């Protein structure tokens, strides 16, 4: 964070807290007051709207009940007059609303004229029904058992296939002795209708026909009155209670007219989403008491007003969108909250003005302090871009001047460190080039080696010195570890490598080469206390039994180990010997044994393997190394080397690596 920003924060900390505290208190109290007033107003409007809705539905329910009774009285009057006329001698037709006479196909004209003649005498009755029922009447009709039907007001021919005896209102009336209501699509107009029908019975109780009255469903469900008050989302329906659930038996969307007038009526369960709302409406239907319930239908929120009919197991259900009922409440709440927010905006504006003044004061005041930092910032930018000669101007004796002086002292040290880093990268490249690129090819043997340094450079070393002129061929395998690690160890090991390679080809054995190299190396390390542990292994005659042999000399290095999968045994190739560079006149001893047999694995390594430690300071150890060799002895030498490196890394699990790791594996291939 810039100093200017820090100064700005300090000044603001002195000015703003009192201003913010007063402003916060005023804003908090204004918000609480506004919320309380808005909540009370919303509750008041909500209760008033609910009461108005309940009263309106109750009045409409009474009107629906009155219309229903009026239609039932009209049907009863029609049935009574029809029974009287059908059982009386044939008389001339009386003036009135002449009905249409129709019959299904298959009934001859004589039958139609014979059966229809008495029905023409119902003209006065039809006229009376139309006058009394008005807009509640769509059709009034009487249908006889032979299919002949008189309908008023008069209309054109019925659709093809129409047979009054097959209509639901006729069938329902024929199977009961009381009035029945059905809801269906009218065959002549395609309108959704509510039909009350009943049998026409003679003096002896015999059935003479069925009389019915059709009312447009919208006349019984006055959604227009509700829509004017509550909007177009109002849904009015007739419902009944069936098996503990409410079912729709009629509304304006109940039956799709496109399905045709032959579509049978199928009550549908009311899709109420919440169980509490369903239970409240069911309880109201069972107790025949009005109810007003908030519920969700098909994912939409509604207020449901239910008015059960006292004379029938059904009722009027009106669903009004919740938003329509709570519109006034929400408007009142919004108005109060808007006024409250305006008050809060004034307080917030005053606070911001005060804060702005403090910011300006801090901004211009901080410039005088931060101007000396400009030069330091520019110099730091140049240094970050790689200009190691960048320097900052030093002015004054304050902390900023001291900071500029420290920066100028740091730049040369950083340049020196960059040069040292480049030298380290070069040393790493040189040391990597000193390691063998690939093992020599010896028939019957698979060889591989790899080194992982803990720094850019290290003191571990391995090498292959081949001599093709020997019988059956041969190779020297050398693994060494100089004390310490880093650049000093790398230089020391490079010296030892040069001495060993300088003695290559003079006909000396491993012990003689080590003795010669030790005497020369001691001259350079007598006063430094440094030394090199080394294991010199010669694969004579190809290194395979029965003609080849293993000859070695140890210079303080851990012995090589040979694993035989056939016997599951590990053998260490031991021998005496001090590290190189300890005593100038030390003479090294040479050891020898038969060569490797097919399947055997010989492993050389440095102590960075078994002395590796995990985060809990536990040591890797040679037992774990032997397990890795045992598991991967069947693979190639390169796979075994990679497996050892991977297992050591997994054991350390992110713990810092403090020593180099070198592994050389030699496997006698199966025959």
């Amino acid at each position: 964070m810039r100093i200017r920003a820090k100064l700005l924060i300090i000044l603001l900390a002195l000015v703003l807290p009192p201003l913010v505290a007063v402003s916060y208190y005023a804003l908090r109290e204004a918000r609480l007051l506004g919320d309380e007033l808005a909540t009370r107003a919303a509750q008041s409007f909500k209760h008033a709207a609910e009461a108005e809705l309940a009263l309106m539905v109750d009045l409409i329910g009474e009107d629906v009940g009155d219309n229903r009774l009026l239609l039932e009285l009209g049907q009863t009057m029609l049935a009574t007059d029809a029974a009287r006329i059908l059982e009386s001698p044939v008389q001339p037709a009386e003036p009135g609303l002449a009905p249409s006479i129709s019959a299904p196909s298959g009934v001859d004209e004589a039958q139609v004229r014979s059966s229809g003649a008495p029905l023409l005498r119902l003209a006065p009755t039809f006229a009376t029904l139309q006058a009394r029922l008005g807009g509640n009447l769509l059709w009034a009709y009487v249908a006889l058992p032979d299919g002949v039907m008189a309908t008023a007001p008069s209309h054109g021919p019925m659709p093809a296939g129409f047979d009054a005896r097959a209509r639901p209102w006729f069938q329902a009336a024929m199977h009961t002795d009381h009035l029945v209501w059905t809801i269906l699509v009218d065959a002549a107009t395609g309108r959704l209708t509510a039909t009350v029908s009943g049998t026409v019975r003679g003096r002896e109780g015999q059935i003479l026909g069925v009389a019915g009255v059709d009312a447009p469903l919208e006349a019984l469900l006055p959604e227009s009155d509700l829509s004017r008050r509550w909007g177009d989302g109002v849904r009015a329906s007739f419902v009944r209670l069936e098996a503990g659930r409410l079912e729709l038996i009629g509304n304006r969307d109940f039956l799709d007219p496109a399905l045709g007038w032959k579509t049978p009526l199928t009550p549908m369960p009311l899709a109420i989403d919440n169980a509490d709302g369903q239970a409240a409406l069911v309880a109201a239907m069972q107790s025949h008491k009005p109810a007003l319930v908030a519920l969700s239908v098909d994912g939409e929120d509604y207020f449901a007003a239910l008015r059960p009919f006292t004379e029938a197991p059904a009722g009027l259900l009106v669903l009004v969108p919740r938003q329509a009922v709570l519109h006034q409440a929400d408007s009142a709440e919004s108005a109060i909250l808007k006024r409250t927010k305006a008050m809060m905006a004034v307080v917030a504006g005053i606070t911001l003005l005060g804060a702005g003044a403090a910011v300006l004061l801090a901004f211009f005041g901080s410039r005088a302090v931060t101007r000396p930092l400009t030069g330091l910032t520019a110099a730091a930018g140049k240094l970050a871009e790689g200009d190691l000669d960048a320097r900052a101007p030093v002015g004054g004796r304050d902390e900023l001047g001291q900071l500029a002086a420290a920066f100028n002292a740091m730049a040369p040290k950083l340049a020196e460190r960059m040069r040292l880093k480049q030298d380290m990268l070069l040393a790493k490249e040189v040391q990597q080039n000193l390691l063998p690129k690939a093992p020599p090819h010896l028939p019957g043997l698979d060889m591989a080696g790899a080194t992982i340094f803990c720094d850019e450079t290290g003191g571990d070393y391995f090498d292959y010195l081949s001599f093709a002129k020997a019988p059956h061929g041969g190779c020297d395998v050398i693994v060494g570890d100089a004390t310490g690690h880093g650049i000093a160890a790398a230089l020391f090991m490079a010296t030892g490598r040069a001495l060993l390679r300088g003695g290559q080809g003079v006909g000396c054995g491993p012990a003689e080469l080590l003795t010669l190299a030790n005497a020369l190396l001691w001259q350079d390390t007598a006063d430094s206390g440094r030394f090199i542990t080394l294991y010199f292994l010669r694969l004579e005659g190809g290194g395979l039994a029965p003609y080849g042999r293993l000859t070695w000399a140890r210079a303080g290095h851990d012995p090589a180990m040979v694993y035989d999968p056939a016997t599951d045994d590990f053998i260490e190739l031991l021998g005496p010997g001090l590290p190189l560079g300890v005593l100038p006149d030390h003479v090294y001893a040479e050891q020898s044994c038969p060569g490797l047999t097919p399947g055997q694995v010989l492993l050389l390594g440095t102590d960075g393997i078994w002395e590796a430690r995990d985060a809990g300071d536990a040591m890797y150890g040679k037992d774990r190394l032997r397990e890795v060799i045992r598991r991967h002895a069947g693979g190639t030498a390169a796979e075994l080397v990679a497996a050892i490196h991977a297992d050591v890394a997994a054991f350390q699990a992110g713990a810092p690596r403090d020593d180099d790791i070198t592994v050389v594996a030699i496997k006698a291939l199966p025959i």
Side-chain angles (χ1 to χ4, degrees):
M1 182 182 293
R2 294 185 175 183
I3 294 179
R4 183 182 299 179
K6 293 180 179 179
L7 292 175
L8 176 63
I9 292 174
I10 293 173
L11 293 175
L12 292 179
L14 295 174
V15 176
L16 289 184
L19 181 61
V20 171
V22 174
S23 300
Y24 171 76
Y25 176 78
L27 291 172
R28 177 176 174 276
E29 291 301 315
R31 181 177 59 81
L32 292 176
L33 178 60
D35 290 345
E36 183 178 358
L37 291 176
T39 301
R40 290 185 180 181
Q43 289 293 334
S44 176
F45 278 105
K46 176 177 177 292
H47 292 322
E50 290 176 351
E52 180 184 355
L53 175 61
L55 178 60
M56 193 171 185
V57 172
D58 192 54
L59 293 175
I60 292 175
E62 291 181 1
D63 186 48
V64 171
D66 292 342
N67 289 339
R68 183 176 62 85
L69 292 177
L70 188 61
L71 290 170
E72 289 179 353
L73 288 174
Q75 190 279 337
T76 302
M77 181 181 72
L78 179 59
T80 301
D81 288 352
R84 174 179 55 79
I85 289 173
L86 290 174
E87 287 192 324
S88 64
V90 177
Q91 298 178 5
E94 300 180 20
L97 184 62
S100 296
I101 303 299
S102 61
S105 60
V107 180
D108 56 37
E109 291 296 330
Q111 179 67 30
V112 174
R113 288 192 299 270
S114 174
S115 298
L119 298 179
L120 293 174
R121 297 166 55 195
L122 289 171
T125 305
F126 285 135
T128 302
L129 287 177
Q130 187 174 26
R132 296 291 180 86
L133 297 179
N136 287 340
L137 176 66
L138 180 62
W139 308 114
Y141 40 78
V142 176
L144 302 181
D146 59 5
V148 177
M149 182 176 72
T151 307
S154 178
H155 58 75
M158 300 301 289
F162 179 82
D163 188 342
R165 296 168 296 182
R167 298 296 284 162
W169 54 266
F170 189 96
Q171 295 286 335
M174 292 293 289
H175 291 86
T176 185
D177 57 355
H178 56 76
L179 298 181
V180 292
W181 283 87
T182 53
I183 297 175
L184 67 163
V185 176
D186 178 58
T189 64
R191 298 173 66 183
L192 204 60
T193 63
T195 301
V196 57
S197 61
T199 55
V200 178
R201 294 182 179 270
R203 286 184 289 272
E204 302 299 329
Q206 73 279 18
I207 297 178
L208 303 177
V210 174
V213 176
D214 284 353
L217 191 61
E218 62 268 20
L220 297 179
L221 292 174
E223 290 186 346
S224 59
D225 296 338
L226 294 167
S227 298
R228 281 194 296 270
R229 174 62 180 89
W230 305 105
D232 294 334
V234 176
R235 297 166 57 184
S237 309
F238 291 126
V239 295
R240 73 179 183 186
L241 186 61
E242 184 68 24
R245 293 192 64 182
L246 289 182
E247 290 185 343
L248 291 175
I249 59 175
N251 63 17
R252 64 181 179 183
D253 302 321
F254 181 65
L255 204 58
D256 185 359
L259 297 177
W261 57 270
K262 294 182 180 181
T263 304
L265 171 67
T266 303
M268 297 182 298
L270 187 62
I272 299 177
D273 299 333
N274 49 324
D276 293 342
Q278 174 86 4
L281 292 181
V282 169
M285 285 291 290
Q286 291 173 341
S287 62
H288 295 282
K289 293 181 179 180
L292 182 64
V293 181
L295 47 74
S296 176
V297 178
D298 292 331
E300 299 290 336
D301 293 330
Y302 291 94
F303 280 102
L306 175 67
R307 190 188 188 285
F309 300 141
T310 57
E311 303 85 1
L316 173 66
L317 177 67
V318 176
L319 298 177
V320 180
R322 181 182 182 277
Q323 186 59 35
V325 177
L326 301 182
H327 175 70
Q328 290 182 336
D330 292 341
S331 298
E333 184 177 11
S334 298
I336 295 175
L337 291 177
K338 183 178 180 181
R339 188 63 178 270
T340 302
K341 289 180 180 179
M343 296 170 57
M344 295 170 64
V346 172
V347 176
I350 295 174
T351 303
L352 291 176
L353 287 176
V359 169
L360 291 175
L361 178 63
F363 177 80
F364 289 107
S366 62
R367 291 186 62 183
V369 179
T370 58
R371 189 177 295 109
L373 291 175
T374 304
L376 181 60
T377 303
K382 293 179 181 180
L383 185 63
E385 294 175 357
D387 183 3
L388 300 180
D389 295 327
R391 297 293 184 270
V394 179
R397 298 181 180 180
D398 57 4
E399 290 83 352
L400 295 178
Q402 295 175 4
L403 179 61
F407 176 85
N408 293 337
M410 174 193 69
K413 297 178 181 178
L414 182 60
E416 181 65 25
R417 184 171 181 84
M418 292 294 294
R419 285 191 292 270
L420 179 60
K421 183 174 181 64
Q422 293 295 327
D423 293 343
M424 290 294 292
L425 293 176
L426 179 61
K428 177 181 179 181
E429 182 179 353
V430 172
Q431 187 177 30
Q432 292 291 337
N433 291 330
L434 293 179
L435 296 176
K437 299 296 186 294
H441 175 70
L442 293 180
L445 291 180
D446 180 18
M447 303 174 62
T451 296
I452 296 179
F453 298 113
C454 63
D455 294 328
E456 285 83 356
T457 58
D460 274 14
Y461 159 70
F462 78 96
D463 205 353
Y464 308 112
L465 305 179
S466 59
F467 44 95
K469 295 182 180 180
H472 304 289
C475 176
D476 290 340
V477 181
I478 305 171
V479 174
D481 183 5
T483 54
H485 49 81
I487 189 66
L491 293 174
F492 191 37
M493 180 53 72
T495 301
R497 175 183 181 277
L499 293 175
L500 291 173
R501 281 189 167 253
Q504 182 184 9
V506 299
C508 299
E512 293 176 283
L513 282 175
L514 290 183
T515 301
L516 176 61
N518 176 67
L520 295 173
L521 189 65
W522 183 84
Q523 298 177 17
D524 297 330
T525 62
D527 298 328
S528 67
R530 291 183 174 274
F531 58 86
I532 299 175
T533 67
L534 192 136
Y535 198 96
F536 196 122
L537 172 68
R538 174 164 292 178
L539 304 174
E540 294 185 351
L544 291 173
Y547 304 106
R549 296 187 63 79
L550 303 179
T551 301
W552 69 91
R554 291 179 62 221
H557 200 83
D558 281 85
M561 60 175 66
V562 177
Y563 173 63
D564 190 349
T567 60
D568 195 28
D569 290 333
F570 282 90
I571 301 172
E572 291 190 340
L573 304 183
L574 301 169
L578 292 175
L580 300 179
V582 175
L583 294 177
D585 54 355
H586 182 73
V587 178
Y588 291 87
E590 197 169 273
Q591 312 294 323
S592 181
C593 72
L596 299 175
T597 59
Q600 287 186 331
V601 177
L602 186 150
L603 190 84
L604 294 169
T606 58
D607 57 4
I609 301 173
W610 43 85
E611 292 181 2
R613 296 181 180 274
D614 62 9
D617 204 34
M619 188 177 293
Y620 184 84
K622 288 191 176 183
D623 289 339
R624 189 180 179 105
L625 174 62
R626 293 188 184 97
E627 282 298 318
V628 177
I629 297 172
R630 183 179 285 113
R631 289 198 305 268
H632 297 275
T636 65
E639 290 172 347
L640 176 59
V641 171
I644 293 173
H645 281 300
D647 195 66
V648 173
F651 172 79
Q652 290 186 295
R657 181 178 296 166
D658 55 6
D659 201 357
D660 308 324
I661 296 176
T662 298
V663 182
V664 176
I666 305 172
K667 179 179 179 180
L669 298 175
I671 297 176

